[in-house]
Amino acid sequence: MRGQMLTTNQVTAGELLELIRSGRANTRSDLQQVTGLSRSTVGQRLDLLNRAGWLKHTVGPSTGGRPIQQIVFDPSHAAVIAVDLETRHARAAVLDLAGTILAEQTGPMRIGDGPDHVLDALAGWFPELITAAGVDAERVCGIGLSVPGPVDWNTGRVVQPPIMPGWDQFPIRERLQRAYAEHVGPSMENGPVPVFVDNDANLMALAEHQANHRDCTAFVLVKVSTGIGAGVVVGDEVYRGIDGGAGDIGHIRLHDRPDALCMCGSHGCLAAVASGRALAGQLSALHTEAASASDVKRLLAEGNPDAIRLAREAGRRAGEVLVTVVSLLNPGVLMIAGELSGAPFMTGVRELLYQRAFPRATANLQVVTSRLGDHAGVIGAASMVVQFLYSPARADTRLAALTS
């Protein structure tokens, strides 16, 4: 057992669940000690969680007497659908509540076709995915959607997204709920299946932090694909800013490139100079066929010298902006992810970063690449759903509905 005793004797079942999920308390005696609740009250709270099917009980190692019964969260009692939507393709998966992928599907999906078409097409994937995962549709407790644009977390709507034409302020939650009901049927709880939406870099950062860098209290992930964006995790929480605009570093302007027109309509943005879309344009001007960030990634893998040179220079330009990011946030980990996150781009970032940043800002900084790769988006989207639905307040609300 870890942590201090809570200061109130009114600890709810949802708060007990949080203690169990975090590993702070995984036996009845630990729960009593941390909360100050009586044995009978702890038992009543656990009965609520057990009736909901959210816990499982295992036998821990013996300390010389009777084996200790461990109480843990059961990640298999429900499932989550997660979607990582890119500009030209999508990945959808069914995951358990621990983030294990049970089934997945990828395919072409043009975000420019608009939200009505895209969201309905994605929901059309869900029945087969649920079957492939071997779960009942009634066990799907939520849907998480990752999108390549700024998202107002409270409304679940994208706000002025440069590379998502037609999506600005579109009611994504409601439309995906309707599409899910049409293709799959009603959710396991009363009302429409809960849908949660966030920016792709935020969710990738959440997934990578939880999987491999939990001890890092300030974590930054920069995704470099069609555009450029960053996700920031402080403590264990994604930092989104006031209305979801935190991390939008692709639209920081470079002082010497007023000629570079960005998708947002401004000139000189980092994304207009150093993104996958920008490099594809630069390679096309050199008579090398490249129409997208995926093409640039392919050319880099093939060792194309122009692609390598341009990616390294793009990394240097990104590094100019990241000097300020690192100086402001003082992160322990700076992760580069996305289709341009190979050695040439990373080399350019490191060159500028260590050359210009104050030594103290980089003394304890790790500059690394993604470990979850193409799955970071769906794992992060699923984690977003679980974080919300099993937070203490929301868990108590759901328990009250399940037991009423």
Side-chain angles (χ1 to χ4, degrees), residues 14-304:
E15 289 167 328
L16 246 62
L17 180 68
E18 181 72 9
L19 293 171
I20 293 167
R21 289 184 60 224
S22 67
R24 286 183 60 196
N26 292 103
T27 67
R28 286 177 180 257
S29 61
D30 285 349
L31 289 167
Q32 289 177 245
Q33 185 175 348
V34 172
T35 63
L37 295 176
S38 68
R39 180 180 179 84
S40 62
T41 303
V42 167
Q44 291 169 0
R45 303 284 193 271
L46 291 177
D47 284 345
L48 281 175
L49 296 168
N50 283 321
R51 289 203 301 272
W54 293 359
L55 301 179
K56 63 180 179 179
H57 300 264
T58 63
V59 177
S62 173
T63 57
R66 291 191 306 171
I68 299 174
Q69 188 180 64
Q70 298 281 334
I71 306 168
V72 297
F73 183 63
D74 183 359
S76 65
H77 78 265
V80 173
I81 294 175
V83 179
D84 183 13
L85 180 60
E86 299 280 0
T87 55
R88 291 171 175 262
H89 70 277
R91 180 185 302 271
V94 176
L95 303 90
D96 69 13
L97 303 184
T100 301
I101 295 175
L102 305 176
E104 67 178 317
Q105 178 175 339
T106 61
M109 191 72 65
R110 296 183 62 86
I111 205 165
D113 289 341
D116 267 313
H117 172 82
V118 169
L119 296 174
D120 188 68
L122 287 171
W125 292 3
F126 295 168
E128 186 175 340
L129 267 175
I130 292 169
T131 300
V135 301
D136 294 328
E138 291 77 13
R139 288 173 52 203
V140 175
C141 64
I143 301 171
L145 176 63
S146 165
V147 297
V151 176
D152 184 328
W153 166 253
N154 292 320
T155 64
R157 300 187 181 195
V158 293
V159 182
Q160 299 178 358
I163 59 175
M164 300 177 66
W167 289 75
D168 184 32
Q169 295 294 341
F170 185 85
I172 294 174
R173 287 177 179 169
E174 295 81 357
R175 181 66 181 90
L176 191 51
Q177 286 173 334
R178 188 167 76 250
Y180 179 89
E182 290 169 354
H183 288 277
V184 180
S187 67
M188 62 179 281
E189 296 183 356
N190 295 328
V193 61
V195 173
F196 304 89
V197 188
D198 203 357
N199 170 260
D200 53 2
N202 285 348
L203 295 179
M204 292 171 70
L206 178 64
E208 296 279 4
H209 178 264
Q210 289 188 343
N212 300 299
H213 299 281
R214 276 191 177 271
D215 59 341
C216 179
T217 56
F219 176 91
V220 177
L221 178 143
V222 178
K223 180 183 178 184
V224 190
S225 290
T226 300
I228 300 177
V232 179
V233 177
V234 178
D236 290 322
E237 300 291 332
V238 174
Y239 177 74
R240 296 182 174 91
I242 296 299
D243 58 6
D248 202 4
I249 64 171
H251 301 287
I252 294 176
R253 297 185 190 179
L254 304 174
H255 72 281
D256 60 344
R257 289 301 307 274
D259 60 306
L261 177 62
C262 183
M263 289 288 291
C264 72
S266 298
H267 289 80
C269 295
L270 176 63
V273 175
S275 67
R277 181 191 294 271
L279 264 62
Q282 294 165 30
L283 286 165
S284 295
L286 296 173
H287 307 292
T288 299
E289 186 175 347
S292 66
S294 297
D295 291 333
V296 178
K297 180 180 180 180
R298 172 181 54 79
L299 290 167
L300 288 169
E302 294 171 355
N304 180 281

